[in-house]
Amino acid sequence: MRLTRRHAWLATVVLGSTLLNGPVATAQEAGYPSRPITLVVTYPPGGGADVMARLIAPKMGEVLGQNVIIDNRPGAGGQIGAAYVAKSKPDGYTLMFDASSFAANPALYPKLPYDSQKAFQPIGVTALFPNVVLVNAAFPAKTIRDLIDMAKLKKGAVSYASSGNGSAQHLAGALFESAAGVDMIHVPYRGGGPALNDVIGGQVPLFFGNLASTLPHIQSGKLRPLAITGAQRSPLLPNVPTLAEAGVKGAEIHEWNALF
């Protein structure tokens, strides 16, 4: 997490500079910020976006001199929280912390409750990390090859959880299906936290989770990592191969979080 914390600190410095001096400042009152700032997280507690937001918020407060309050508004692949922020007063006191689905939603939903390009002012990407192909500790697959063989037994033999339709976990799963030539069942949740809980509990066996929120559960033995979706192995999981190393090429994908 050392690299993550360093990047979080750098991001808050950029955030402070942008809010105080950037184009958003034209809509702000004099002496900004003079009161607490709300950071709307578009996913529920416990998922990757929430973990990153709670890591960054205290440093944001230090830089800006005001408390930064986390407000989780999950649902519809981030649309509920985004709609709330889009309708808020553009004065810099309501910010949004979103994930990769923000970029995918316009292609998946013809009628969003906001205009993605006009309703938000991008501030910066705060985190970029690969997904990890994870299974419940009791699930028999020990390798990617085992997983593919099980999925090929019959259509829908394996299901995987995600933080919602269009999320990075969903896209990672769909990309894996295409590259590996398998057909699995997608089980969308309202966020990564609930999805992660059900995979740990054994309700759904497979999860393409992000490294930030799943690492403690990997280290505790509750989840078994089969592969990394990035181009290189993670220094946090040096013994876990990439998907390409495990024989599945063309399935590289990363997840990101950003401030708006």
Side-chain angles (χ1 to χ4, degrees):
M1 293 297 289
R2 224 175 282 120
L3 275 177
T4 302
R5 290 182 183 278
R6 176 174 177 271
H7 289 145
W9 170 250
L10 290 174
T12 57
V13 172
V14 173
L15 170 70
S17 174
T18 302
L19 289 179
L20 294 173
N21 303 308
V24 182
T26 56
Q28 293 164 355
E29 61 191 46
Y32 173 90
S34 60
R35 51 190 169 88
I37 296 166
T38 298
L39 180 59
V40 175
V41 180
T42 59
Y43 289 91
D50 182 68
V51 169
M52 295 306 299
R54 292 181 189 278
L55 177 65
I56 290 168
K59 291 297 183 182
M60 287 173 59
E62 289 180 22
V63 171
L64 299 176
Q66 287 289 342
N67 289 330
V68 177
I69 302 167
I70 299 290
D71 182 8
N72 295 89
R73 291 181 178 266
Q79 292 182 56
I80 292 176
Y84 175 81
V85 175
K87 295 174 183 177
S88 67
K89 187 177 180 181
D91 56 6
Y93 286 97
T94 305
L95 306 179
M96 180 173 73
F97 196 79
D98 209 339
S100 312
S101 55
F102 179 84
N105 282 342
L108 296 175
Y109 302 95
K111 292 184 179 181
L112 291 172
Y114 50 81
D115 187 319
S116 297
Q117 296 186 14
K118 296 180 180 179
F120 305 99
Q121 173 69 45
I123 295 173
V125 173
T126 62
L128 179 68
F129 35 78
N131 291 92
V132 187
V133 185
L134 299 159
V135 294
N136 176 275
F139 193 63
K142 299 294 192 298
T143 66
I144 288 294
R145 185 69 260 168
D146 291 343
L147 176 63
I148 293 173
D149 289 344
M150 293 181 67
K152 285 185 174 181
L153 286 176
K154 62 178 180 178
K155 183 178 180 180
V158 176
S159 59
Y160 69 96
S162 84
S163 58
N165 291 318
S167 65
Q169 291 100 33
H170 178 202
L171 298 182
L175 191 59
F176 176 83
E177 287 180 282
S178 176
V182 297
D183 193 346
M184 304 186 296
I185 296 175
H186 172 225
V187 184
Y189 287 78
R190 294 188 66 193
L196 181 59
N197 287 338
D198 270 12
V199 174
I200 291 173
Q203 283 84 355
V204 184
L206 178 63
F207 187 43
F208 294 80
N210 70 62
L211 190 55
S213 61
T214 60
L215 184 62
H217 305 293
I218 295 172
Q219 293 171 331
S220 70
K222 294 178 181 178
L223 296 174
R224 181 187 306 119
L226 302 184
I228 298 288
T229 65
Q232 298 176 337
R233 295 191 183 198
S234 168
L236 298 175
L237 298 171
N239 297 322
V240 179
T242 66
L243 275 175
E245 289 174 329
V248 181
K249 301 185 184 300
E252 180 183 334
I253 192 169
H254 288 75
E255 188 168 345
W256 54 262
N257 294 123
L259 279 161
F260 299 84

